[in-house]
Amino acid sequence: MKTTRKNFLRTSAALATSLAIPSFSFANLGSSSNLKVNGSLKNRFDPWIEVLPESIRYNAGVLHNLSGKKPVIAVIKNNGYGLGDINAAKILDDMPEIAGFAAVKTDVCISVKEAGIKKPILHMGMATDADFYDLASNNVQLSIFDSRMRTLLESISKRTKRPVDTHLYIDTGMSRMGIPYHRAMPWIEDIAKSKSINILGSFMGFTEDPEFDKEQLKRLQNLNAKAASKKINMGRLHAASSNAVYHFPEASLDMIRPGISLYGAYPTYPKKEEKIAPLKVGYRLNARVVRVEQLRTGDSVSYGGSYVAKSPVWIAALPIGHADGYLRKATKGAKVLVNGNLYPVIGYVSASHTIIELGNEPKVKVGDLATLVGPDHPEIHPSHLSTITGTSVYDILMHMSARLPKIVL
Ligand SMILES: Cc1ncc(COP(=O)(O)O)c(C=O)c1O
């Protein structure tokens, strides 16, 4: 028989009936299925992220205190380090410790404003003239760093009928963005002459090489002193990311600008910061068990069969994999928390599935909640997973798929 679309549908419908797939109801599962959320996620197997506002706010307080109570510009770039940029901004917006937010992409800055965030947001990237206009007219503060900007900002100011709020982006040695510090002075003098430009601040990024960081800081401070001697105010200085907040207190300047540690991860490996001021992990990466099965001696697991059962053993499958942003290198010792117990990841983590080893008994069942990353046990903290798998902790957060549903608890 020729396979037309119509008879394909007819035969597959018949097949489904004959397979008699049992329907599954979370209602039968008891407390492990009780998500504190409304709506559709309650009845799904698909993975999701739980964002933990109290922990993120707690971490902001820790960083603020560590810096000697400097105002915090919260970095929410890269989708709020995986947790959602608007989520992060909403969580932090009303804290008196938070001076504002910073991101790199035009659309992020504008959508944060459109979401009703009250504190200022700083755009730390490049934009077209049209995008700079959109940013300024949405009250986004602009980073400026090149010689064409005075003319552009004057024309923007004419259209918006107010001076443009800016921060001078100084390259003190990162060689990534900003005007090189050694040729910044004449440019700053020129910018400072314009009545259309408000210089609210000046900033730089560290290379996070402890010795060179000191030299970079000196370069910014010298420039600021030179400007002051010419009666130019470079505004509030800021440079410190999470690493500097912990390890370079002199760099706290007028404001700090941390990202990763707001979300509960330590910037260095192996997390020296935990002893200085511990943080709370700001999210959970969750999925539900979709299959529980016993392997016979000699049965293998996943692509390449890298795991072979030495004796009969129970395993469970989770519907989350590296395409969702879970660690490809999880088999190097990562564990997953189910019903209060840790189970090791075995075999190759595939795009959409991860397998865990349960041991001699099927201690978990289909539908049980599995937490792959979260605050609930030290072995599933992102910084621990980073250490044991040799994965950057930034990747553990930022590489979570933006498609994962997020629930702000
Ligand atoms: C310019 C700038 N400032 C601050 C940060 C925050 O850094 P961290 O996440 O290490 O705290 C970043 C992040 O890469 C950045 O690019």
Side-chain angles (χ1 to χ4, degrees), residues 36-37 49-62 74 80 83-95 97-98 101 261-264 279-284 375 406-409:
K36 282 192 267 167
V37 291
I49 297 170
E50 276 177 12
V51 183
L52 307 174
E54 284 318 311
S55 303
I56 294 171
R57 291 165 71 88
Y58 172 87
N59 297 335
V62 167
L83 309 185
D85 34 48
I86 292 172
N87 289 338
K90 281 187 174 165
I91 288 166
L92 294 167
D93 198 24
D94 69 352
M95 286 184 76
E97 296 87 344
I98 298 292
F101 300 96
S261 291
L262 291 169
Y263 310 102
L279 302 168
K280 294 185 180 177
V281 177
Y283 72 103
R284 287 191 184 91
K406 293 168 198 70
I407 301 163
V408 180
L409 288 190

Side-chain angles (χ1 to χ4, degrees), residues 75 77-78 81 102 104 124 169 174 176 203-205 208 239-243 257-263 267 394 398:
V75 178
K77 67 184 205 173
N78 301 321
Y81 288 63
V104 172
M124 303 193 294
Y169 200 162
M174 183 75 157
R176 184 174 67 176
F203 74 109
M204 52 165 273
E208 302 187 359
S241 59
S242 305
N243 181 67
R257 210 180 57 241
I260 193 97
S261 291
L262 291 169
Y263 310 102
Y394 290 82
M398 292 175 182

Side-chain angles (χ1 to χ4, degrees), residues 125-354:
M126 182 51 160
T128 61
D129 292 3
D131 280 352
F132 273 130
Y133 171 74
D134 279 350
L135 287 162
S137 56
N138 278 285
N139 288 320
V140 174
Q141 300 177 356
L142 307 184
S143 298
I144 60 169
F145 42 79
D146 79 22
S147 50
R148 81 190 167 101
M149 289 201 168
R150 181 171 171 182
T151 332
L152 173 65
L153 298 191
E154 283 174 346
S155 85
I156 289 175
S157 166
K158 233 180 238 159
R159 291 171 70 192
T160 58
K161 300 193 175 32
R162 57 172 186 265
V164 183
D165 288 338
T166 66
H167 293 234
L168 311 181
Y169 200 162
I170 313 294
D171 177 9
T172 58
M174 183 75 157
S175 304
R176 184 174 67 176
M177 291 291 284
I179 184 158
Y181 74 102
H182 48 85
R183 54 181 180 80
M185 200 62 242
W187 174 75
I188 294 172
E189 286 179 88
D190 184 49
I191 292 288
K193 279 184 201 135
S194 173
K195 296 224 171 354
S196 307
I197 303 173
N198 260 343
I199 304 176
L200 298 175
S202 293
F203 74 109
M204 52 165 273
F206 286 116
T207 55
E208 302 187 359
D209 162 345
E211 279 316 303
F212 189 53
D213 282 358
K214 289 183 204 150
E215 171 59 24
Q216 283 186 271
L217 181 62
K218 245 190 248 160
R219 291 174 179 177
L220 183 70
Q221 288 174 320
N222 288 344
L223 191 64
N224 188 47
K226 216 187 247 177
S229 74
K230 294 172 187 276
K231 306 227 173 324
I232 295 170
N233 186 350
M234 286 175 61
R236 294 204 278 178
L237 303 186
H238 50 103
S241 59
S242 305
N243 181 67
V245 173
Y246 273 103
H247 303 295
F248 192 13
E250 304 89 303
S252 291
L253 300 172
D254 301 319
M255 299 195 275
I256 57 170
R257 210 180 57 241
I260 193 97
S261 291
L262 291 169
Y263 310 102
Y266 301 105
T268 65
Y269 156 89
K271 53 180 180 150
K272 287 178 267 175
E273 299 81 14
E274 198 167 24
K275 289 203 179 79
I276 304 171
L279 302 168
K280 294 185 180 177
V281 177
Y283 72 103
R284 287 191 184 91
L285 180 61
N286 285 337
R288 287 187 184 282
V289 173
V290 285
R291 181 176 185 259
V292 176
E293 195 53 70
Q294 189 179 32
L295 299 184
R296 302 161 304 173
T297 303
D299 283 346
S300 68
V301 168
S302 193
Y303 295 112
S306 57
Y307 172 98
V308 179
K310 293 195 184 78
S311 55
V313 66
W314 287 89
I315 60 164
L318 309 173
I320 179 169
H322 64 77
D324 301 296
Y326 188 57
L327 295 156
R328 272 183 183 274
K329 292 185 190 161
T331 35
K332 291 188 165 190
K335 291 179 181 148
V336 176
L337 196 66
V338 190
N339 302 333
N341 297 315
L342 290 170
Y343 297 103
V345 173
I346 54 172
Y348 184 94
V349 172
S350 53
S352 310
H353 289 94
T354 295

